[in-house]
Amino acid sequence: DAKTTQPPSMDCAEGRAANLPCNHSTISGNEYVYWYRQIHSQGPQYIIHGLKNNETNEMASLIITEDRKSSTLILPHATLRDTAVYYCIVRSIRKVDGGSQGNLIFGKGTKLSVKP
Amino acid sequence: DSGVTQTPKHLITATGQRVTLRCSPRSGDLSVYWYQQSLDQGLQFLIQYYNGEERAKGNILERFSAQQFPDLHSELNLSSLELGDSALYFCASSLGLAGAISSYNEQFFGPGTRLTVL
């Protein structure tokens, strides 16, 4: 699985867009980019995932560069409750025996602090 | 609330002891995953079960074992505990059904069990 590189920390003003970068220069063709976040000591929470097209859901947008070597998670209007560690994970959606999907490999993530 | 429940929330025990952590997945989810989060190692995958059978193993110590029961709840057993086993232990579940290769069933994480070994 491709490795990812994220800045260890970022600050963002409340109400502004938070743009969290992730480098995954060794990503292969069948690997997706996933984002999860972990609010202090709670269980991680799925945000979004994508392959090569930009994706948007109710939580965030994911912008993947054309060469797929990097991506950016965008929280359009950050709130104090978005303060968390954000993990960028690159992994193939592969089915192991019986159809189950594999585990996640977490790096150190980016600690996003949203300030009033 | 993710729908995944874990008990107990906190556990304090002594070195050398054995403990059991319990996880109930979301209704309908067939896959259960166990992760360990310590200050120095971060979030690490331990083991995965799918519909009662072990499917993948990560950095799980031989002193640790797990199982998934017919009602799909899972237990993680930790024995001969050491100080370094102190950590947050998370359980996650996902639908885990076979389907289109591009479909992704997100993992839903429980609130975790905080284990302190003294």
Side-chain angles (χ1 to χ4, degrees):
Chain A
D1 297 305
K3 286 190 176 177
T4 62
T5 304
Q6 298 178 254
S9 64
M10 289 182 65
D11 289 342
C12 177
E14 189 179 18
R16 304 300 292 266
N19 298 291
L20 293 99
C22 179
N23 285 321
H24 30 79
S25 58
T26 59
I27 193 170
S28 62
N30 66 343
E31 288 181 317
Y32 285 65
V33 181
Y34 306 92
W35 285 83
Y36 278 73
R37 74 179 181 183
Q38 186 176 24
I39 297 170
H40 181 63
S41 293
Q42 295 180 22
Q45 176 191 23
Y46 166 80
I47 302 173
I48 200 167
H49 77 282
L51 181 63
K52 51 185 173 184
N53 298 322
N54 298 338
E55 302 287 346
T56 295
N57 63 20
E58 64 279 4
M59 286 184 70
S61 295
L62 175 60
I63 308 297
I64 302 174
T65 58
E66 195 170 339
D67 63 7
R68 303 210 320 123
K69 293 186 177 182
S70 66
S71 60
T72 301
L73 178 74
I74 301 172
L75 308 178
H77 305 287
T79 71
L80 299 179
R81 288 177 294 180
D82 292 321
T83 292
V85 177
Y86 287 76
Y87 297 98
C88 169
I89 300 165
V90 172
R91 198 123 170 95
S92 61
I93 293 185
R94 55 189 170 80
K95 308 291 188 189
V96 297
D97 283 348
S100 66
Q101 290 175 326
N103 53 286
L104 298 168
I105 299 175
F106 291 85
K108 295 190 184 300
T110 295
K111 181 171 172 50
L112 175 68
S113 298
V114 180
K115 300 182 184 299
Chain B
D1 183 1
S2 66
V4 178
T5 59
Q6 290 187 247
T7 56
K9 286 187 177 177
H10 301 277
L11 198 47
I12 300 174
T13 188
T15 54
Q17 294 299 304
R18 171 190 169 94
V19 297
T20 298
L21 313 183
R22 182 188 169 103
C23 168
S24 292
R26 291 188 325 148
S27 177
D29 283 358
L30 299 178
S31 274
V32 169
Y33 310 77
W34 286 97
Y35 293 84
Q36 178 194 56
Q37 185 170 34
S38 59
L39 281 175
D40 55 343
Q41 295 290 329
L43 259 167
Q44 291 209 306
F45 166 70
L46 295 178
I47 197 163
Q48 176 199 359
Y49 280 81
Y50 174 72
N51 205 19
E53 294 189 11
E54 182 184 305
R55 287 305 182 197
K57 258 185 175 178
N59 299 322
I60 187 166
L61 300 172
E62 285 192 11
R63 301 183 285 109
F64 296 0
S65 65
Q67 52 184 330
Q68 186 180 28
F69 295 86
D71 67 353
L72 301 177
H73 91 271
S74 177
E75 292 181 357
L76 179 67
N77 301 296
L78 315 176
S79 61
S80 303
L81 284 168
E82 302 175 359
L83 296 178
D85 298 327
S86 295
L88 265 171
Y89 290 84
F90 290 106
C91 166
S93 73
S94 71
L95 196 53
L97 289 180
I101 192 65
S102 62
S103 65
Y104 177 64
N105 297 314
E106 66 193 84
Q107 292 185 23
F108 293 85
F109 284 76
T113 292
R114 183 174 293 280
L115 173 67
T116 303
V117 182
L118 301 175

